[in-house]
Amino acid sequence: MQQTAINPIYTFLGADPESLPLLNMAGPITGLFIQPLIGALSDRTWSEKWGRRKPFFLIGATGCAICLFLFPFVSALWMAVLLLWLLDASNNTAMEPYRAFIADKLPPSQTAKGFLAQSFFTGLGITLANVSLFFFRRLLDGATAAGLPYWVFGSFMLGSVCSIGTVLVSVLSTPEIPPTPEELQRMRAKKSKEHFGAVHGIWTAIVEMPKQLRKLALVYLFQWYAMNVYWQYVSLSVAKSAFGTTDASSDAYESAVGWTGLINGFYNVVTFTVAFSLVALAKKRGAKWVHIFCLLCATAGLLVFPHITNKFLLFIPIIGLGIAWASIMGVPYIMAVRMVPSSRYGVYMGIINMMIVIPQLIQTLTFGWVYKHILGSNPSNAITFAAILLALAAIAMTWIKEPPIVRDQDDVTAPPKVAGPSVQEGE
């Protein structure tokens, strides 16, 4: 919902296109501070009743559900901006422990499959969200006094139920791996000695970050700047190219928003369709080259996308973005978990998220000026700009030396990954 519906809501409430990047600043700011902190805290947490990661993603998902429920009731732009900050803070609290949870639970031979399973279900969830926009657009007419169409209510209410419902399935059905008594004793002794231990753990992890992981930051700079541009301007691009309007108050623009929901839903269908095949391809060809190939597919698709005037043909080039999105959500993590100790997955997943949100923050601060003064306030040029950035991400990826595949000691009896000896050494 955040990717496709928030920016149209801003435009329905009167925001101009140049201000969209700044209005989306909540994402990078909250991700920059909250995810590493939650990751470090979850590395240092253990509860017999609640576990290590689950308390965090349960709290985050509850916050997401409340924010999604309230979003359609906003009556002014500042309310929507405030609610996006709260929604993003909740989303970041939930998402980082989820990634660490995958790495905690799975032996090395299944980690790639786990992350790409996450890509599969992420794609499925985004597809449902986008299809709901198109469905409720057909079902509900009229608008609130503030200008928000009533079909927005249906999509956000459904998103609220899905947010809390799917997390409850994980919380109730999947136990966490407990630390051994010795590991638990060391963890508690260390916590009692250190003040601001989580913050210290983040700083230490940044200082000790492996060289190849630092190189991954450059890839992330280009690819996440590009994805932010796509999400913010795709509705305006589709409205201009296929619906012949740039007027956000027109019926044609509403239709374009609904159609964009279908397009985004379709690329996410592609995402969850190809996600698992990328596992086998990554094993055979290497994760690095798989990611390069996927980024180039997106580049080719987005170079063509803004020049298509037939709304049905828009589904063809967006296949490239769907392939790349499956890779972006899973393949870099396959390499990252080989670069860091398993006992510090939480804090490093948070730091990797900093590599995502810092480019997004740079985009929110810079792209309004770029859009107006370099791209001529033309949403088609914005999509082309995103394509070029994805090509640069593919080139930067060639600079990384892929770490070797880690073989399991024993897939069945592998020791618990949580709170191993390196926790005490590293933090």
Side-chain angles (χ1 to χ4, degrees):
M1 298 305 301
Q2 188 172 337
Q3 286 179 9
T4 301
I6 299 296
N7 286 296
I9 284 178
Y10 283 158
T11 55
F12 289 139
L13 293 172
D16 59 77
E18 287 82 5
S19 65
L20 290 181
L22 283 176
L23 294 174
N24 283 274
M25 190 176 284
I29 292 290
T30 56
L32 182 62
F33 293 105
I34 290 179
Q35 284 216 18
L37 188 60
I38 294 295
L41 285 172
S42 68
D43 279 346
R44 307 161 67 83
T45 297
W46 176 255
S47 162
E48 292 291 340
K49 183 176 182 180
W50 296 102
R52 175 181 300 270
R53 317 289 185 187
K54 290 196 290 189
F56 296 96
F57 56 71
L58 182 59
I59 293 170
T62 303
C64 284
I66 293 172
C67 291
L68 288 170
F69 180 82
L70 294 176
F71 225 105
F73 295 98
V74 298
S75 57
L77 188 58
W78 69 267
M79 292 182 185
V81 173
L82 176 62
L83 210 50
L84 180 60
W85 278 83
L86 296 174
L87 174 63
D88 226 282
S90 301
N91 192 32
N92 279 295
T93 302
M95 283 306 296
E96 194 287 329
Y98 244 123
R99 295 193 187 101
F101 188 56
I102 293 170
D104 288 344
K105 290 287 292 183
L106 297 177
S109 66
Q110 296 181 21
T111 305
K113 194 177 293 182
F115 283 121
L116 288 164
Q118 186 187 30
S119 294
F120 174 89
F121 286 106
T122 301
L124 182 60
I126 297 174
T127 299
L128 292 175
N130 284 288
V131 170
S132 76
L133 290 173
F134 182 80
F135 174 75
F136 286 111
R137 169 80 177 81
R138 295 289 181 104
L139 201 64
L140 301 174
D141 292 323
T144 66
L148 287 185
Y150 285 130
W151 51 267
V152 170
F153 283 74
S155 296
F156 274 82
M157 298 303 165
L158 181 61
S160 177
V161 172
C162 290
S163 174
I164 192 66
T166 52
V167 168
L168 281 176
V169 169
S170 296
V171 168
L172 297 175
S173 67
T174 312
E176 294 201 55
I177 300 173
T180 64
E182 294 77 17
E183 290 164 347
L184 192 59
Q185 188 178 8
R186 285 197 296 268
M187 188 193 311
R188 288 174 175 167
K190 190 173 181 66
K191 281 176 67 177
S192 65
K193 290 178 184 176
E194 289 186 350
H195 300 290
F196 307 107
V199 176
H200 180 260
I202 295 169
W203 175 250
T204 305
I206 292 173
V207 172
E208 297 173 354
M209 190 186 304
K211 184 178 177 182
Q212 300 306 317
L213 194 58
R214 293 177 189 272
K215 293 179 182 177
L216 191 63
L218 183 62
V219 177
Y220 273 43
L221 171 64
F222 291 126
Q223 75 182 24
W224 285 100
Y225 194 115
M227 292 305 298
N228 246 27
V229 171
Y230 170 81
W231 290 323
Q232 289 167 6
Y233 290 90
V234 62
S235 295
L236 291 167
S237 175
V238 171
K240 181 175 183 292
S241 63
F243 289 81
T245 183
T246 54
D247 181 4
S249 61
S250 65
D251 289 340
Y253 181 71
E254 270 198 45
S255 299
V257 171
W259 198 256
T260 303
L262 273 188
I263 292 169
N264 285 345
F266 179 71
Y267 89 66
N268 280 282
V269 169
V270 175
T271 293
F272 67 75
T273 301
V274 305
F276 285 111
S277 63
L278 293 184
V279 177
L281 203 57
K283 280 186 177 179
K284 189 174 181 181
R285 301 293 182 189
K288 167 182 167 178
W289 294 106
V290 167
H291 196 52
I292 290 171
F293 170 77
C294 293
L295 289 172
L296 292 178
C297 286
T299 300
L302 292 189
L303 285 174
V304 175
F305 185 84
H307 303 290
I308 294 177
T309 55
N310 184 315
K311 65 180 183 180
F312 295 101
L313 294 181
L314 289 171
F315 290 94
I316 297 174
I318 212 64
I319 291 172
L321 188 65
I323 295 170
W325 185 232
S327 184
I328 288 170
M329 292 296 290
V331 173
Y333 293 102
I334 296 172
M335 292 193 293
V337 295
R338 296 184 206 148
M339 298 174 186
V340 300
S342 61
S343 57
R344 302 172 80 183
Y345 280 158
V347 68
Y348 272 111
M349 288 298 164
I351 291 171
I352 290 170
N353 190 67
M354 291 171 71
M355 298 179 190
I356 295 173
V357 297
I358 288 174
Q360 291 179 326
L361 179 60
I362 294 171
Q363 191 268 348
T364 61
L365 293 173
T366 61
F367 193 71
W369 186 89
V370 172
Y371 182 70
K372 184 175 182 179
H373 296 283
I374 298 179
L375 302 179
S377 297
N378 185 337
S380 301
N381 291 342
I383 301 300
T384 303
F385 188 73
I388 294 169
L389 289 177
L390 288 171
L392 292 175
I395 294 171
M397 196 74 193
T398 62
W399 187 34
I400 295 176
K401 183 179 179 182
E402 184 172 349
I405 295 173
V406 179
R407 301 292 178 191
D408 290 348
Q409 298 171 22
D410 183 335
D411 284 2
V412 179
T413 60
K417 293 177 177 178
V418 289
S422 58
V423 170
Q424 283 68 34
E425 294 165 7
E427 293 187 359

